[in-house]
Amino acid sequence: MADRKPIESWLTDMDGVLIHEGVPIPGADAFIKKLRESGRPFLVLTNNSIYTPRDLHARLRRLGLEVPIENIWTSALATAKFLDDQRPGGSAYVIGEAGLTTALHDIGYILTDHDPDYVVLGETRTYSFEAMTKAVRLINAGARFICTNPDETGPSTEGPLPATGAVAALITKATGRQPYFAGKPNPLMMRTGLNTIGAHSESSAMIGDRMDTDVLAGIEAGMKTFLVLTGLTRPEQVENFPYRPSKVVDSIADIIDLV
C-alpha cells in the first residue's frame, strides 16, 4: 500500500466501530472530534435503514458523539439514490421504517401497493406476514425486487435478530427472484457516499468491524481498509477470507493519530 495517496477522507461504520450495544466505544468521541477539527470529509455509515440521519444524529449526540446530519449515510439513502438514478419519479411498495420511507419520499417517489415499479425491502421492527405476502404477489406480477442491505441478522442486547437478508431469502424462495442489494458490501453504497462529500476512493479509507461487508465494500470501492476488533470479527477469523484489510487494529482509538 506504500504507493497509495495519503488519506484525505474517512468513512466509518457505526455499530461495532463507534458504538457497541448502545454504548460508545472508547476513543470514538476523540476520533469524531479530531475528524471535525481537521476539516477532512467524513461519513458515518450504517446498513440499518430504520432510522433517518436526523434520528441517528440525535442518538449519537445522546451518547456524546457529535456527528452532523450531513455526515451520516445509510443504506436507505443509498437505495433512494440508486432508484432515483435508475427510474426517477417512480413508485415503490415499501416494507420498512421511517428511514427508508423518508428517503424515498425525498426523491419524489410514490409509495403504493398498486402496480409499483419496485418492491423495496428494508429493516423493520415488525415484519408483517401480510406485507411479505403482498410483496411476493407484486414481485410475481412484475415489480422489481430491491433490498436496502443483505445482513441476515442484526445486533440487540438480547442477542441476534432476523434482519433484511433473512426476510429477503424468504421472499426469494416464494418468488424465485433475487433482489438487488444497495447497501454494503455493494461498493455502490461507498461510491455514492464518497460522491456526497466530494471525496475520491484512492485517497479515502473505510473503517469497519466486519470482513464480509465493511472491508469487502471498501476494497471493491478502491479504498484503504481498517478492520477494528471491537465488533463481530475476531482476529483468528481474518485468515478465513480470500481478501485482507489494509490494517487490523484493536479499536477506533488506534486510528485517531492517523487523522
Side-chain angles (χ1 to χ4, degrees), residues 78-133:
T79 300
K81 179 68 172 67
F82 172 73
L83 294 180
D84 193 34
D85 288 342
Q86 290 281 306
R87 194 175 292 267
S91 60
Y93 175 69
V94 178
I95 299 176
E97 301 279 344
L100 181 55
T101 56
T102 300
L104 292 174
H105 273 302
D106 287 348
I107 62 165
Y109 254 55
I110 295 169
L111 306 189
T112 179
D113 61 0
H114 178 67
D115 193 25
D117 296 314
Y118 297 97
V119 166
V120 183
L121 173 67
E123 213 74 59
T124 177
R125 301 174 186 87
T126 54
Y127 284 109
S128 154
F129 184 77
E130 181 183 355
M132 287 188 283
T133 300

Side-chain angles (χ1 to χ4, degrees), residues 44-85:
V44 172
L45 285 78
T46 178
N47 253 2
N48 191 319
S49 63
I50 289 179
Y51 304 104
T52 67
R54 190 178 298 276
D55 296 332
L56 292 171
H57 164 75
R59 176 187 175 196
L60 291 168
R61 173 179 268 182
R62 287 195 300 271
L63 298 175
L65 304 177
E66 193 60 48
V67 181
I69 294 171
E70 61 269 21
N71 293 102
I72 296 172
W73 190 246
T74 71
S75 64
L77 293 175
T79 300
K81 179 68 172 67
F82 172 73
L83 294 180
D84 193 34
D85 288 342

Side-chain angles (χ1 to χ4, degrees), residues 43-240:
L43 283 178
V44 172
L45 285 78
T46 178
N47 253 2
N48 191 319
S49 63
I50 289 179
Y51 304 104
T52 67
R54 190 178 298 276
D55 296 332
L56 292 171
H57 164 75
R59 176 187 175 196
L60 291 168
R61 173 179 268 182
R62 287 195 300 271
L63 298 175
L65 304 177
E66 193 60 48
V67 181
I69 294 171
E70 61 269 21
N71 293 102
I72 296 172
W73 190 246
T74 71
S75 64
L77 293 175
T79 300
K81 179 68 172 67
F82 172 73
L83 294 180
D84 193 34
D85 288 342
Q86 290 281 306
R87 194 175 292 267
S91 60
Y93 175 69
V94 178
I95 299 176
E97 301 279 344
L100 181 55
T101 56
T102 300
L104 292 174
H105 273 302
D106 287 348
I107 62 165
Y109 254 55
I110 295 169
L111 306 189
T112 179
D113 61 0
H114 178 67
D115 193 25
D117 296 314
Y118 297 97
V119 166
V120 183
L121 173 67
E123 213 74 59
T124 177
R125 301 174 186 87
T126 54
Y127 284 109
S128 154
F129 184 77
E130 181 183 355
M132 287 188 283
T133 300
K134 185 167 289 186
V136 166
R137 291 171 179 167
L138 290 171
I139 291 168
N140 283 336
R144 302 152 189 86
F145 187 17
I146 302 288
C147 288
T148 56
N149 63 291
D151 300 58
E152 294 169 353
T153 61
S156 79
T157 53
E158 293 83 20
L161 297 171
T164 310
V167 179
L170 182 154
I171 294 174
T172 292
K173 274 289 188 182
T175 62
R177 299 276 292 279
Q178 294 285 345
Y180 181 78
F181 295 104
K184 298 177 294 180
N186 189 343
L188 172 83
M189 181 169 175
M190 320 300 278
R191 291 174 185 148
T192 53
L194 289 171
N195 288 342
T196 66
I197 57 173
H200 300 284
S201 59
E202 63 267 24
S203 57
S204 299
M206 173 64 193
I207 309 166
D209 70 308
R210 291 184 61 152
M211 289 288 291
D212 58 345
T213 54
D214 305 319
V215 171
L216 180 58
I219 289 172
E220 292 190 347
M223 303 166 66
K224 188 168 184 176
T225 55
F226 291 85
L227 177 74
V228 297
L229 301 175
T230 47
L232 290 177
T233 306
R234 304 269 55 84
E236 63 273 12
Q237 294 174 318
V238 175
E239 294 301 327
N240 295 337

